[in-house]
Amino acid sequence: MYRAGYIGLERLERMTKEEYLVKVENLYKWFPVRRSIIEAIIKGEKIYVKAVDGISFAIRRGEIFVLAGESGSGKTTTGKVLVGLEEPTRGRIFYDGMDISRIKLSDWKKIGLRRKIQMIFQDPYEGLNPRQKIVDIIAEPLIVNRVVSSKREAEEKVLKILEEVKLTPPEEFAYRYPHQLSGGQRQRVSVARAMVLEPEFVVADEPVSMVDASIRASILDLLIYFREKGVTYLYITHDLATARYVGDNIAIMYLGKIVERGPVEKVVSEPQHPYTRALVSSIPVPDPKYAKEKKRLELRGEIPTAVNPPRGCRLHPRCPFAMDICSKSEPPEVDIGGGHSVSCWLYSRS
Ligand code: SF4
């Protein structure tokens, strides 16, 4: 299987457009909290949900780059900013060398970005219009983006892509409604709708979290199939087992920040940051013999709100290894070798 090399932080700024498809530099996405006029007068300055709070990473062409973390970590917001569903608050996003953070979202279609960048959503039930037949659902982006010149051409493309996502014979699925399909088949339709435009970059947001465990691997294999055809991915997940199955490199997010990153195999098999260790230790082990050997690392409480994240290391109120410095100062990102880096004072104090 293709495995892209990891891009170290020190190289990020110097990377040329030949080396990456997507490069994110110091990205912030804050959402203002709505308050009444009286509340605003009493409490003073504006309050924000700091969903994404200064992250940087790069995705090479043909790579499956994973962004992982619990819900509330900021990974889905990052994905939405990259596909142009949200404007960044601050920071720069380069796509194929072009700074797209400076381009109005309303201009994305004009310069072809809406066709080149697609998203696969988590919920195949919500993402498909129940009143449209599958053929119309998949043909819609072709028509909106003026990729086809006739209904017949659109239909031909739909039948071809249905075959590619293994909904065969395609004529049998094209004229059904979403409720006449199983969850797995609906997710294949979501993949088909994203891929029919032959995009270069796809954000896949938890694409298998709502389908039966028995068919997850076959949906992930579809993503890998389109990667072999040249698609680059940002794969968003809370599930490190699927991250390991499809991913090349991974960044672990906690409360809007990246806390650990590196080649996915290394990060999942030798996690260093206490947060990553807790995530890895929660992956179920099928054999009870090994389950006993596997030591579980538990964090205290729940992920706090991103309105007022803890000072210093954001994990400190939940971390079993927290020290004095952790609540005072934010840990720097430290390269621990092999393209693996971690932001934790346990690695910065020697
Ligand atoms: Fe835990 Fe401190 Fe490391 Fe944060 S910096 S993860 S609180 S040990």
Side-chain angles (χ1 to χ4, degrees):
M1 186 189 278
Y2 168 88
R3 294 273 166 189
Y6 169 68
I7 298 161
L9 268 191
E10 73 287 350
R11 282 205 56 223
L12 192 69
E13 280 184 15
R14 287 184 283 116
M15 284 180 74
T16 64
K17 73 169 198 165
E18 284 71 36
E19 292 177 90
Y20 68 85
L21 183 63
V22 178
K23 183 164 77 157
V24 171
E25 284 182 4
N26 225 8
L27 178 71
Y28 289 77
K29 179 63 193 174
W30 291 5
F31 297 97
V33 176
R34 281 174 195 270
R35 294 185 299 169
S36 68
I37 295 173
I38 295 177
E39 263 185 316
I41 292 168
I42 295 170
K43 293 184 182 160
E45 62 187 47
K46 275 192 178 173
I47 297 174
Y48 294 91
V49 175
K50 296 168 181 168
V52 178
D53 210 18
I55 63 169
S56 302
F57 60 87
I59 307 176
R60 291 180 194 267
R61 288 165 204 279
E63 179 180 8
I64 300 182
F65 185 90
V66 182
L67 214 46
E70 289 168 287
S71 80
S73 60
K75 55 193 195 310
T76 293
T77 303
T78 305
K80 285 184 173 171
V81 172
L82 293 192
V83 296
L85 291 177
E86 297 283 358
E87 300 253 18
T89 303
R90 213 172 342 137
R92 307 216 296 170
I93 302 163
F94 294 92
Y95 182 82
D96 202 12
M98 175 171 47
D99 184 355
I100 60 171
S101 51
R102 304 278 184 270
I103 298 171
K104 275 200 230 141
L105 296 186
S106 52
D107 288 338
W108 274 40
K109 192 173 152 202
K110 256 187 257 164
I111 56 171
L113 285 176
R114 291 274 173 231
R115 192 186 67 70
K116 290 179 184 169
I117 302 177
Q118 289 293 307
M119 186 159 189
I120 300 169
F121 294 94
Q122 174 178 18
D123 188 350
Y125 297 84
E126 271 184 16
L128 309 178
N129 184 342
R131 286 189 218 115
Q132 278 186 310
K133 287 184 182 158
I134 301 304
V135 63
D136 297 320
I137 290 171
I138 301 175
E140 195 172 11
L142 291 170
I143 293 161
V144 169
N145 287 282
R146 300 203 178 120
V147 174
V148 288
S149 51
S150 67
K151 215 178 154 205
R152 190 188 162 82
E153 195 189 345
E155 210 162 317
E156 277 169 14
K157 280 191 180 283
V158 171
L159 294 178
K160 185 170 174 283
I161 199 75
L162 282 175
E163 194 142 21
E164 281 196 88
V165 300
K166 308 228 169 7
L167 288 172
T168 52
E171 295 80 4
E172 209 173 276
F173 290 94
Y175 305 100
R176 291 191 198 170
Y177 289 91
H179 74 270
Q180 294 173 308
L181 305 182
S182 68
Q185 288 168 340
R186 274 190 280 244
Q187 196 53 302
R188 285 176 193 275
V189 171
S190 304
V191 173
R193 189 176 52 179
M195 297 302 179
V196 75
L197 288 168
E198 298 178 18
E200 296 170 341
F201 177 55
V202 171
V203 172
D205 185 8
E206 304 267 18
V208 293
S209 65
M210 295 190 74
V211 298
D212 286 348
S214 58
I215 52 167
R216 275 181 202 156
S218 65
I219 303 279
L220 295 175
D221 286 343
L222 261 189
L223 301 187
I224 293 169
Y225 164 78
F226 284 104
R227 188 262 285 276
E228 303 299 333
K229 294 185 78 178
V231 175
T232 300
Y233 291 93
L234 176 69
Y235 178 80
I236 295 170
T237 188
H238 67 283
D239 176 2
L240 294 184
T242 65
R244 194 176 200 171
Y245 188 77
V246 294
D248 298 305
N249 292 299
I250 189 167
I252 308 288
M253 280 189 83
Y254 182 75
L255 264 188
K257 297 263 186 199
I258 290 175
V259 296
E260 183 163 4
R261 66 174 96 210
V264 72
E265 196 53 46
K266 207 160 169 49
V267 171
V268 177
S269 61
E270 298 164 38
Q272 302 298 318
H273 194 281
Y275 179 63
T276 318
R277 285 165 59 190
L279 285 182
V280 170
S281 73
S282 67
I283 299 174
V285 179
D287 189 331
K289 186 177 130 213
Y290 295 109
K292 266 190 214 157
E293 287 166 15
K294 191 174 156 183
K295 247 180 145 183
R296 183 140 190 194
L297 178 67
E298 304 257 7
L299 299 175
R300 293 184 286 261
E302 300 285 315
I303 188 166
T305 158
V307 171
N308 196 9
R311 220 180 133 226
C313 170
R314 292 179 176 198
L315 191 69
H316 84 259
R318 303 178 68 195
C319 178
F321 308 106
M323 305 162 277
D324 261 4
I325 190 171
C326 302
S327 59
K328 292 179 183 133
S329 184
E330 193 173 327
E333 184 161 11
V334 175
D335 186 343
I336 55 172
H340 191 169
S341 67
V342 59
S343 303
C344 171
W345 284 115
L346 291 171
Y347 298 85
S348 309
R349 281 157 51 89
S350 55

